[in-house]
Amino acid sequence: MLSVTNLTIRFKTANGLFDAVKGISFHLAKGETIGIVGESGSGKSVTALSLMRLLNKSNSVVSGQVMLDEFSLFELSEDETRAIRGNKIAMIFQEPMTSLNPVLTCGFQVTEAIQLHLGSSKSEAKVQAIKLFKEVQLPRPEAIFDSYPHQISGGQKQRVMIAMALSCSPEILIADEPTTALDVTVQKTIIDLLKKLKEERGMSLIFISHDLGVVNEIADRVLVMYKGEIVEEAPTKTLFKNPQHPYTKGLLACRPSVKYHLKKLPVIADFMDSNTTIEQIRKAYNYPKKEISERKKKLYSQEPILKINELSTWFPVNSGIFGQSTNMVKAVNKVSFDVYPGEILGLVGESGCGKTTLGRSILRLIEPTSGNINFEGTDLRSLTKNDMRRMRRDIQIIFQDPYSSLNPRLTVGESIMEPLQVHNIYNSDKQRKQRVTELLERVNLLPEHFNRYPHEFSGGQRQRIVIARALALQPKFIICDESVSALDVSVQAQVLNLIRELQQEFNLTYIFISHDLSVIKHISDRMMVMNKGEIVEIGNPDEIYNHPKEEYTKRLIDSIPHF
């Protein structure tokens, strides 16, 4: 159905043309699903955008040939391309929140495409859109038709995008990172949905992802992209059983595995300059059970550093006639647990379960409704705002989105130095700058990065910057809130390794929050499972993984992509 020959994509930069995609060739058969995998910057998404002819002509140069049935896509006029786009080939974009128009209802955005391409009337388009919403298994399709994107969850937004892409019954569907940063349970439902729709509609599918585990669940054949080139292509089972290229081995190995206990995760650099196998690297990084046992024995012989007792954080909803709240959302409800010095306590659960609210309530960034927070013998809830601000020298947080938690107007050096100035640490800015330089180097960045702004860095580098900022005050305790959820698996592995190294170097204590149970199992000494504001399981990660007590926990485990 689709044949790509010698596709080359070059972007105009201040330093001349940059080769983003370097002469790649591949084909897609009718009814087939191919997976395209690689890190950010490998050329996956620009390849997809070029197939849709959505690249900006003013700053890109595209050459090669793309045949869609009898059409040579790059030779078509704009009007001819518009007729094919949506009808023959459609795309689900990477980030639904930025791809959907925030000022238009979800229903309008889908009916607009139906009316434009199929010539349907407004009423016919609405019937068709609601039918599509039902097909993609959206709850309350009529209500979502009239909802704006910000009023629905991330998984629901992704389903609206799928409905829009399917609205004109395309023969080929391109799904660009459709599950990135979604809960593992939502991720699994989206993958299952795409498989079901593909079978029912007889479509061909190009599924783009940085995560080989996800691709294994859906693809018949896999293309591995690295620096704009296809470095390996094979049927999915063959590629997973016997990867040939060092880069493919690295991608496979760096995802946390529930089968192994590793002191550190393999990274792509471990494979690029050698013929090392995945098993050899895992053997070298093995975490002996005796060492794990000794560590835990030492950890739990201490007094807890943090004691949480019956902590609740409720939010009022629905105001009555006189402004009184008539209902409460129990985001955190009577939660109790202890954290021990030097421990990494994992907290796992789906979006909306109360994980982030719990983390922020402990720091009193959100004021709890009731309960006790005892840190090293101090009742945090009894402290004044000024005393609590001083206490935050010892208790820090790494937020979920590093870009939004950094001030875009400050250089990264100024952002890291700011807490040192606020708490009056060191006698001069010269000494503080020296400390910041040391921190940048410790998180594997360069001293010259001090004067750059957040937008000049990649997602993984920004995450290292906020880790450096959290370390600036030499805290004892850090809450990591989904600090690796949106990163490539290769960058995720580097950041997880860094977090563990820093914990050992500075004897830090962490609460590590994630929706990904495989990440939590890898990094945690103990783990807690949270659902609907309550802790439903707490204990040894191996024990919970192998013998879950709750149906909810079983569902989280079953959603982990396996390979």
Side-chain angles (χ1 to χ4, degrees), residues 12 55-61:
K12 298 170 187 174
L55 290 176
N56 189 337
K57 288 181 180 178
S58 66
N59 73 341
S60 64
V61 180

Side-chain angles (χ1 to χ4, degrees), residues 79-141:
D79 287 342
E80 288 169 330
T81 302
R82 201 173 291 118
I84 283 176
R85 196 188 293 139
N87 286 329
K88 274 196 165 286
I89 184 167
M91 185 166 173
I92 305 164
F93 294 97
Q94 186 165 351
E95 176 47 67
M97 191 63 222
T98 53
S99 302
L100 291 169
N101 191 326
V103 299
L104 299 175
T105 64
C106 297
F108 180 86
Q109 294 184 63
V110 178
T111 55
E112 184 181 38
I114 295 169
Q115 288 176 269
L116 182 68
H117 283 279
L118 304 182
S120 305
S121 66
K122 192 175 179 180
S123 59
E124 288 170 339
K126 181 175 181 178
V127 170
Q128 180 64 16
I130 289 173
K131 185 181 173 186
L132 283 163
F133 283 179
K134 288 176 181 173
E135 191 177 0
V136 298
Q137 297 166 20
L138 275 166
R140 304 172 295 106

